[in-house]
Structure formats: C-alpha cells, structure tokens
Amino acid sequence: MSKNLYTLITGASEGFGKALATECASRKMNLILVALPDSKLHFLAETLIQKYAIDVIAIEKDLSIEENCTMLYNQVEELNLSVNMLINNVGISSTMFFGEGDINFYQKQVKLNVITTTLLTSLFLDMLKTNKPSHILNVGSLSCFFYLAKKQVYGATKSYVYSFSKSLRGELSPKGINVSVVCPGGMNTNPTIIKTNEANNWLARQSIMNPEEVAPIAIKGLLNRKEIIIPGRMNKLFLIIDKLVPSFLIKMIANNHVNKFESYNIGNKPINETVFSRLLETIS
C-alpha cells in the first residue's frame, strides 16, 4: 500500500478496534487511530510502529461530541494525511431492560453509534473519492437482524448502521468507494463482557469469538468488497434459523426469552429452555 495513504480507525484503543488496528498494521497499512482521551492510545501506536515499521498517528478525542468529529477531520487535513479507508468502529453496547437505562446513556449511545458514524462518513467522503479505490467499513452487529430483550436501543442503532451501509454502498460503488458492514455476534472485548460470556451455558459459549479472530475476517471481507460480513459459523447459523423458523414461532421464542430474563432477575431459573433461546443470549 502506498506510503501516503492511511486507514482511519475509531474506537481503536481496546477490544475490536485494537484488533482491527493490529490486523491492518500487519498488512502494512499506515494508520490514524482515534480513541478517548487517557486511553493509552499512544502506547498502542508506538507498539505497532516498532513491530510493523509503518506510520501510526494517535489522536485522542471523544467522538460523542459532534464538534470533535469536525476537529478530527480538520486535524487530518492539517497533517496533510490522505485517508483511503475509513473504519467506523466506535460505539457503545448495552444489555438491559429499557426501563433500567438512563436517558442520558441512551442519548450518548445513539450519538456514537448513529450520528458519529454518519458524520465521519460525510466528512471524509470527498477525501475517499479523491483516493479511490477506497473503502468504508461500518461495524454493525448480529443483533440488527433480531429483536431481543435488553438490546432495544443498541439493536436499533445497529439496524441503522446496517441499512445506512447497504444504501450507501449502492450510491458509492460506481464512484470507486466500497462500503461493507461487519455484523459480529458476541465478542470478548473487555473484562466485564468476558466474565459475562464465561457465565453462559456451553452452547452459548460456542458462538463467542475473540476480537483477534474477527478482525482478519472483517478486513479480508472488506478488501474483497464483500457487502455483509458475518464472522463465525455459529453466527451464520443464527441467520439460517431466522429464515427457516416461522415468524410466529420466533415471536414465541423471543417472548420466552424476555420471561427468562425476568425470571433470572428474581432468582428463579426456568425449567424449559429451547436451543434457540439459549443461542439468543449470545448475540452482541
């Protein structure tokens, strides 16, 4: 890859973003990494520079603040950097009943998952057109295909990312810009989530993947201009089941899933659990 071209990755300090940064670095891509202030992003940048002999620029900004998105773009321009690959990874996950959440949290989740992805794509679009052939990778979730208890706002934001990506792909493909969306299932992205995943039953644990497993699949799919990237055999099985099982039965299973969550909350584990309801627990 040309030395004067860069891949910009948001949310790059840990979890899936860090794995994406490492995968891109291993492919000799120069990087612009963005993460929250005090995220130790500069240590990651230095590690990648030393190991892969590439150029890495670390920029710490809170992208939930819209003005910071514009400041990020201006900073990239001032540094005379040319982006030919934009990876919109930054976002906030959640697993809770709607009434348990705080409206301020939901607002920030929508801002990061929806507004930031849209705004950064808009800001860097002309630069991507200039540096074509170029790529946009948006990070969705398997939850955008299902309607799950405790995933209402998160799932809705990822449904937006999915729809936005597919529509944008149709517009930009003729202009030399590929748009792909990766929809991973559950991942071991941080200590809290890892502990939650380890508490799942055996079947549920089979679908959990490490970010280091998902990142190569995502980047390979992106470079191959794949429209929708679903990592993992078990996650592909989710979608097959969703197509094969009648919608009324899916609703029954989803309702049972809600009741099961509520039963867990009061300390009573249900006697009957379907295989599919167990699998639903793992969708990110």
Side-chain angles (χ1 to χ4, degrees):
M1 180 168 288
S2 176
K3 287 290 184 181
N4 63 345
L5 295 176
Y6 289 77
T7 295
L8 191 154
I9 305 174
T10 62
S13 62
E14 64 176 7
F16 191 39
K18 182 178 180 181
L20 287 168
T22 303
E23 175 62 23
C24 289
S26 73
R27 293 172 178 263
K28 297 298 182 180
M29 299 178 187
N30 298 316
L31 302 175
I32 302 169
L33 305 181
V34 188
L36 287 168
D38 302 318
S39 60
K40 299 182 179 179
L41 186 64
H42 294 278
F43 290 105
L44 172 61
E46 189 60 34
T47 299
L48 297 178
I49 291 169
Q50 294 297 324
K51 185 172 183 179
Y52 298 105
I54 57 171
D55 191 25
V56 183
I57 309 296
I59 300 175
E60 295 188 337
K61 289 190 186 300
D62 182 353
L63 296 179
S64 67
I65 302 170
E66 291 182 31
E67 292 80 1
N68 285 349
C69 295
T70 303
M71 288 175 63
L72 168 63
Y73 173 76
N74 291 337
Q75 188 170 344
V76 169
E77 278 214 315
E78 288 168 5
L79 291 171
N80 199 29
L81 305 175
S82 295
V83 172
N84 74 325
M85 188 178 294
L86 173 64
I87 300 181
N88 288 310
N89 167 68
V90 69
I92 302 177
S93 182
S94 63
T95 304
M96 58 187 167
F97 286 119
F98 184 71
E100 297 172 349
D102 178 76
I103 190 60
N104 293 320
F105 172 82
Y106 291 140
Q107 287 178 326
K108 187 169 185 178
Q109 188 173 52
V110 171
K111 282 182 180 178
L112 266 179
N113 297 11
V114 174
I115 302 299
T116 299
T117 294
T118 307
L119 182 53
L120 288 179
T121 302
S122 175
L123 287 167
F124 283 94
L125 185 57
D126 286 341
M127 188 180 291
L128 291 169
K129 288 179 179 177
T130 300
N131 297 318
K132 63 184 182 182
S134 53
H135 299 270
I136 298 171
L137 177 65
N138 292 326
V139 177
S141 166
L142 204 66
S143 66
C144 74
F145 298 103
F146 303 91
Y147 308 108
L148 303 176
K150 295 193 170 187
K151 291 286 185 182
Q152 61 306 106
V153 177
Y154 176 72
T157 63
K158 291 305 183 179
S159 292
Y160 172 89
V161 170
Y162 178 80
S163 179
F164 174 64
S165 302
K166 292 199 68 175
S167 296
L168 197 63
R169 178 184 177 91
E171 291 181 25
L172 298 183
S173 289
K175 303 180 187 299
I177 303 175
N178 168 59
V179 180
S180 299
V181 57
V182 58
C183 298
M187 281 193 290
N188 291 319
T189 53
N190 62 56
T192 300
I193 292 178
I194 290 173
K195 185 174 291 187
T196 301
N197 290 339
E198 288 175 347
N200 283 329
N201 59 63
W202 179 87
L203 180 62
R205 291 197 304 271
Q206 303 315 299
S207 70
I208 303 298
M209 299 180 71
N210 293 318
E212 296 76 17
E213 297 174 286
V214 179
I217 298 170
I219 298 304
K220 180 180 179 181
L222 177 67
L223 295 176
N224 287 337
R225 309 179 74 86
K226 192 171 182 179
E227 182 176 16
I228 305 164
I229 305 163
I230 309 292
R233 293 180 181 178
M234 188 66 75
N235 295 324
K236 292 182 175 70
L237 176 62
F238 281 127
L239 298 183
I240 293 173
I241 292 174
D242 185 51
K243 291 178 180 178
L244 295 179
V245 177
S247 59
F248 77 90
L249 189 55
I250 292 288
K251 289 180 180 178
M252 289 175 58
I253 293 171
N255 289 334
N256 177 68
H257 192 54
V258 172
N259 293 333
K260 183 166 71 70
F261 270 131
E262 290 175 338
S263 296
Y264 276 123
N265 285 346
I266 61 175
N268 297 319
K269 184 175 180 180
I271 296 174
N272 297 316
E273 293 181 346
T274 66
V275 170
F276 191 52
S277 68
R278 289 184 180 183
L279 293 174
L280 284 172
E281 293 180 37
T282 69
I283 296 177
S284 174

